[in-house]
Amino acid sequence: MPETDQQPNAEAIAHRRRIRKELIQALAAASVLQDADGWSLFLQELSLTLGSGVPAVGHSSFHVRVIKVVNHCSRRADGMRSIAESVNLLDPESTDTAAILRCVDEWHVVDLFADVDVLWLREELQVLRATTGDLHRWAIEIRMTEQPGYCTTAWQLFASLAGENASEGVLPCLRFLERIPPLLSAAAGARLRELLATLSNRWELADYRAEHPAESAVPAAPADMAYLIIQFDKYGGDGDSYLVSHWRQWATVWQPVRGEDRRVLESDLEATVVEIVAEAERRWAEHMGPVTIEFILPDPLLDLPVEEFRRELQSVEATPLAIKYPVYVRSLNRLRSTEWHRVWRNRWQRRATARVADHVVHCAADGSGAVQVEASLGGGAVVMMLSEPPQLGSAGERQLLAGLRAGLPAVLWHRRTYPRPQRCETVTSMIRDALLGSGLAELPIHVAELRKRAWGEDPAQRHYHVGNGIVILWDDPDRLPDRAAAGPITGEARG
């Protein structure tokens, strides 16, 4: 951990004065603090956050009272952070609050780096946009959550990380800076590397990195994973209402960010999904790349045609999700049945090594039940085609249960009845195409393309296209949304 008792240099002192002045101005301008109730609530929250009362600020002018609060908090190690947290609680996501948060972040930079000159970086990093691309991805990977919405430049990202504690032995802000040099000019990149070497020696990070090379290495950046995960779960004993949860994922490692839960009636599931998709698209407006939507469903809803849920319901040209996104379903039952996870992981590993010559597909016989399916499943099978949809009380439901218990990561079915050779040939052909490409990971994409071709048909012919009504359950055991990070539930079931 870095020392915090360094004496600031003259430039840092001047910078701190500027930040203090800007913070006072931002607080004085914040509309939420203008009325008596807002100011009183702010002082209450600030006292709770600090763990001690704020000294009486008297009945002087509002501007003077703000100065007294800032002066008091500036003498506390956690004072400025407490100001930011208190205002953010009262008025989140406002431009007034964003200005205050940025000031507090910069205060942390000066506090942390004391007599080390890092302020020259401000001019270099302020011109680098951080709402998309590598900078955005790095910040998510380091922070393990989405970046704050008020951070739009690399400098603002760096400053926001400066207030966070060390993880994996190294401060998050330094881990961020270590990735920056290639984005700068040659001279600025060299100067930043010198700065990092100085900090590494001063904070004795070189010894730590020598002992933990894997933690300190900067991995090559793979392609982003972009997912919108939407989960339906029965709400209590009410048979007609559901808790709809969702997670957003746009990063190179699996660390989804949970959104607000919603309690809705079954009849409102489609409208709720439309709201969630629109919200995610607004958050991802500056990103580029494909997005996959996956639905985690209780087994009775696995045949719900979620890929046909329409976007922009109020439009006269509302279109199904399947036209724009690859859509697949996952079993909520299996995610929660940890006694099935070992065999699930075994089959998933088999999926990664499958070859064209391998027997990876099991096509369930018409009318076969769970025992028959499990007895006939080969050890190398990773995909199963059901003989019929898994509706309540059907053979398809029993076959699906067998496939989930046996750990099959991929299960397909069709909502229309097809002769066994035809449905098996369709799946086997897609599997062959996937294995000739990048492997079975491509299977959901092949299903998505088949659906799009069906929707591209003349409406009179669409019903007969094999892509109309095909469903894929695609389950990765390494991607389990974190139930512990629950967000607040908004709304009651809507009638």
Side-chain angles (χ1 to χ4, degrees):
M1 291 295 294
E3 298 292 334
T4 57
D5 59 353
Q6 304 288 342
Q7 293 301 312
N9 59 30
E11 185 178 0
I13 292 173
H15 190 65
R16 178 175 290 181
R17 287 173 178 163
R18 181 184 63 79
I19 297 168
R20 176 179 168 277
K21 181 179 179 181
E22 290 180 1
L23 177 60
I24 290 170
Q25 292 173 341
L27 285 167
S31 57
V32 71
L33 305 181
Q34 296 293 326
D35 61 79
D37 287 342
W39 178 253
S40 176
L41 274 174
F42 167 67
L43 293 180
Q44 290 175 30
E45 291 299 332
L46 186 58
S47 295
L48 290 172
T49 307
L50 289 170
S52 62
V54 179
V57 293
H59 300 285
S60 50
S61 70
F62 177 61
H63 194 81
V64 169
R65 281 179 280 156
V66 168
I67 293 174
K68 290 181 178 180
V69 167
V70 171
N71 287 346
H72 171 73
C73 289
S74 67
R75 293 188 288 270
R76 291 278 302 263
D78 56 348
M80 293 307 204
R81 187 195 304 274
S82 297
I83 288 177
E85 290 177 355
S86 300
V87 175
N88 196 43
L89 184 65
L90 295 179
D91 192 19
E93 299 184 3
S94 73
T95 53
D96 291 338
T97 300
I100 293 165
L101 293 174
R102 291 192 191 107
C103 288
V104 171
D105 286 347
E106 292 211 25
W107 184 275
H108 289 148
V109 172
V110 176
D111 262 358
L112 179 63
F113 293 97
D115 66 339
V116 181
D117 181 15
V118 298
L119 297 180
W120 64 270
L121 267 174
R122 193 175 195 275
E123 184 176 347
E124 297 287 342
L125 300 187
Q126 195 75 318
V127 298
L128 298 178
R129 288 177 57 80
T131 53
T132 187
D134 286 343
L135 287 167
H136 177 269
R137 182 176 67 246
W138 295 339
I140 290 177
E141 291 173 358
I142 292 167
R143 194 188 297 274
M144 298 301 288
T145 185
E146 284 193 347
Q147 68 185 48
Y150 65 89
C151 295
T152 60
T153 71
W155 173 259
Q156 290 167 2
L157 270 182
F158 164 67
S160 74
L161 290 167
E164 298 193 7
N165 293 326
S167 63
E168 299 180 353
V170 182
L171 287 167
C173 60
L174 289 191
R175 295 171 61 205
F176 181 71
L177 285 185
E178 286 171 341
R179 303 187 181 196
I180 294 293
L183 304 182
L184 304 178
S185 66
R191 187 177 179 186
L192 177 53
R193 291 186 187 95
E194 290 178 5
L195 171 64
L196 290 168
T198 299
L199 294 172
S200 181
N201 291 329
R202 172 169 297 182
W203 293 340
E204 299 180 350
L205 297 179
D207 292 341
Y208 179 88
R209 294 190 180 285
E211 296 171 5
H212 304 79
E215 292 179 5
S216 58
V218 178
D224 282 359
M225 296 189 301
Y227 295 95
L228 176 60
I229 306 103
I230 303 174
Q231 177 177 291
F232 299 163
D233 193 9
K234 273 294 183 68
Y235 190 85
D238 187 345
D240 196 36
S241 65
Y242 287 84
L243 185 66
V244 180
S245 307
H246 71 282
W247 295 260
R248 299 182 307 277
Q249 159 76 27
W250 199 303
T252 58
V253 292
W254 177 245
Q255 47 195 34
V257 176
R258 187 165 186 164
E260 287 187 343
D261 291 347
R262 295 165 167 86
R263 181 190 167 200
V264 302
L265 294 176
E266 184 172 354
S267 58
D268 288 319
L269 288 176
E270 181 178 21
T272 302
V273 168
V274 170
E275 292 175 2
I276 292 171
V277 172
E279 175 189 324
E281 287 289 11
R282 284 192 290 270
R283 288 181 177 271
W284 291 339
E286 298 191 33
H287 289 261
M288 293 187 294
V291 172
T292 294
I293 299 180
E294 62 182 40
F295 287 87
I296 302 176
L297 306 176
D299 288 359
L301 291 187
L302 281 172
D303 196 42
L304 185 69
V306 288
E307 78 279 3
E308 297 182 11
F309 281 5
R310 294 159 296 165
R311 299 183 298 126
E312 302 176 0
L313 284 174
Q314 306 305 318
S315 170
V316 294
E317 294 291 337
T319 57
L321 294 174
I323 289 182
K324 184 175 182 181
Y325 307 98
V327 178
Y328 55 81
V329 299
R330 303 182 66 184
S331 168
L332 179 60
N333 186 22
R334 176 155 65 181
L335 264 62
R336 292 178 174 173
S337 301
T338 54
E339 66 273 19
W340 297 351
H341 286 200
R342 180 185 60 81
V343 293
W344 180 16
R345 292 182 181 282
N346 289 343
R347 297 272 186 181
W348 183 256
Q349 180 61 33
R350 173 63 180 151
R351 166 212 60 86
T353 60
R355 299 293 181 265
V356 174
D358 297 337
H359 299 289
V360 298
V361 182
H362 177 82
C363 196
D366 292 343
S368 59
V371 174
Q372 184 180 349
V373 167
E374 289 195 58
S376 58
L377 269 174
V382 292
V383 183
M384 180 165 68
M385 183 69 183
L386 305 183
S387 66
E388 58 185 87
Q391 295 172 352
L392 186 64
S394 69
E397 181 186 42
R398 296 190 292 275
Q399 293 162 12
L400 175 62
L401 175 61
L404 295 176
R405 289 194 306 211
L408 292 174
V411 181
L412 292 95
W413 63 91
H414 207 286
R415 295 199 180 96
R416 296 200 313 278
T417 301
Y418 275 98
R420 188 170 188 269
Q422 186 176 351
R423 65 174 183 264
C424 291
E425 181 182 347
T426 298
V427 174
T428 303
S429 176
M430 285 193 298
I431 298 276
R432 187 184 305 112
D433 290 344
L435 291 176
L436 288 172
S438 300
L440 278 179
E442 290 187 356
L443 186 56
I445 303 301
H446 286 281
V447 172
E449 289 301 319
L450 201 59
R451 286 175 177 156
K452 288 176 68 175
R453 288 199 294 270
W455 282 101
E457 292 281 341
D458 182 276
Q461 300 299 317
R462 184 180 304 144
H463 176 78
Y464 303 101
H465 195 286
V466 69
N468 179 25
I470 192 168
V471 183
I472 179 170
L473 180 148
W474 180 257
D475 251 348
D476 180 346
D478 293 321
R479 299 196 307 106
L480 306 178
D482 182 8
R483 294 290 300 175
I489 300 174
T490 59
E492 291 298 313
R494 295 177 291 186

